[in-house]
Amino acid sequence: QVQLVQSGAEVKKPGASVRTSCRASGYSFTTYFVHWVRQAPGQGLEWVGMINTSDGGTNYSQKFLGRVTMTKDTSTSTVYMELSSLRSEDTALYYCVREAPGGTHDYWGQGTLVTVSS
Amino acid sequence: QTVVTQEPSLTVSPGGTVTLTCASSTGSVTSCSYPNWFQQKPGQAPRALIYNTNSKHSWTPARFSGSLLGGKPALTLSGVQPEDEADYYCLLYCGSAWVFGGGTKLTVL
């Protein structure tokens, strides 16, 4: 069955960077894009960006340009998201999401809580 | 950047019908595409319900349907059940970016 398993919670200080992972299983990894979506406590969903798992191409939300980097490791079917220059407003649950052909975002990871606090 | 607006909250009686909409600041749906709808319950990850305006996933209950209403993507729940109480989000592809709506909190009362 399709699964996206994310890494554990992180606590970081302002100004630091965080790298979180998303391991895919149960399907052909390079056939589907992977997106990252975040949700601040009590707030709605926010698109961060996506990576083409076939060629590594990326598309980031303008809001995160210059601070976010998404990479992949095809040998382990894992996608990574690094967010730098963290501030308290980056405290959120970060989800990875699979995009199937046709634009459907069908499977979601369980989320990684990133807390930014001094 | 495109802003996507949803009704902040709606209330429906059990067995009733309710329609949620998704409006982009650019105007009609032709500026944005691939409408998706998600359901999120407290403490859970979002669950995909509808994609490409009106296509359902294998797990989507039959009472959920997607459409265009006056050019805006819409999600209709017919025969609402108590377990449908949740937050609902739409997602649109606008230009080269994906944009979520602010979400609709649906109360079943």
Side-chain angles (χ1 to χ4, degrees):
Chain A
Q1 72 282 22
V2 174
Q3 280 193 303
L4 297 173
V5 178
Q6 299 186 235
S7 50
E10 303 266 7
V11 179
K12 296 293 183 179
K13 292 194 183 303
S17 297
V18 66
R19 188 187 194 218
T20 183
S21 68
C22 170
R23 182 163 188 161
S25 62
Y27 71 95
S28 174
F29 176 69
T30 56
T31 301
Y32 300 83
F33 296 169
V34 173
H35 295 245
W36 291 88
V37 174
R38 77 177 188 180
Q39 187 169 37
Q43 303 300 309
L45 302 174
E46 181 175 32
W47 182 71
V48 178
M50 56 76 65
I51 182 166
N52 180 329
T53 52
S54 178
D55 63 13
T58 55
N59 180 16
Y60 303 140
S61 167
Q62 279 195 329
K63 178 175 178 176
F64 300 99
L65 277 177
R67 285 209 303 142
V68 69
T69 303
M70 295 177 188
T71 56
K72 67 173 178 83
D73 181 345
T74 303
S75 67
T76 60
S77 300
T78 302
V79 172
Y80 299 91
M81 183 199 69
E82 182 167 3
L83 189 61
S84 62
S85 302
L86 290 169
R87 33 210 189 231
S88 59
E89 310 88 89
D90 294 317
T91 294
L93 198 52
Y94 287 77
Y95 294 102
C96 61
V97 189
R98 184 184 88 158
E99 181 192 346
T104 174
H105 297 61
D106 53 2
Y107 287 91
W108 293 61
Q110 84 278 15
T112 293
L113 179 62
V114 174
T115 303
V116 183
S117 173
S118 54
Chain B
Q1 187 171 341
T2 303
V3 174
V4 177
T5 303
Q6 299 180 241
E7 299 84 0
S9 64
L10 291 170
T11 300
V12 61
S13 300
T17 297
V18 65
T19 297
L20 292 62
T21 64
C22 177
S24 69
S25 60
T26 61
S28 80
V29 73
T30 54
S31 301
C32 299
S33 54
Y34 299 109
N36 279 255
W37 290 93
F38 304 91
Q39 177 194 65
Q40 187 179 34
K41 296 183 178 180
Q44 296 182 15
R47 181 175 74 139
L49 291 174
I50 300 287
Y51 63 99
N52 260 350
T53 306
N54 55 13
S55 296
K56 297 183 184 183
H57 295 280
S58 58
W59 54 80
T60 304
R63 61 184 181 275
F64 290 86
S65 63
S67 65
L68 288 179
L69 210 58
K72 294 187 297 185
L75 175 70
T76 298
L77 289 71
S78 306
V80 171
Q81 302 296 307
E83 61 265 28
D84 297 333
E85 184 163 291
D87 294 327
Y88 292 83
Y89 294 92
C90 65
L91 173 65
L92 299 178
Y93 184 65
C94 304
S96 61
W98 289 88
V99 185
F100 281 97
T104 296
K105 183 175 184 61
L106 182 67
T107 301
V108 181
L109 209 56

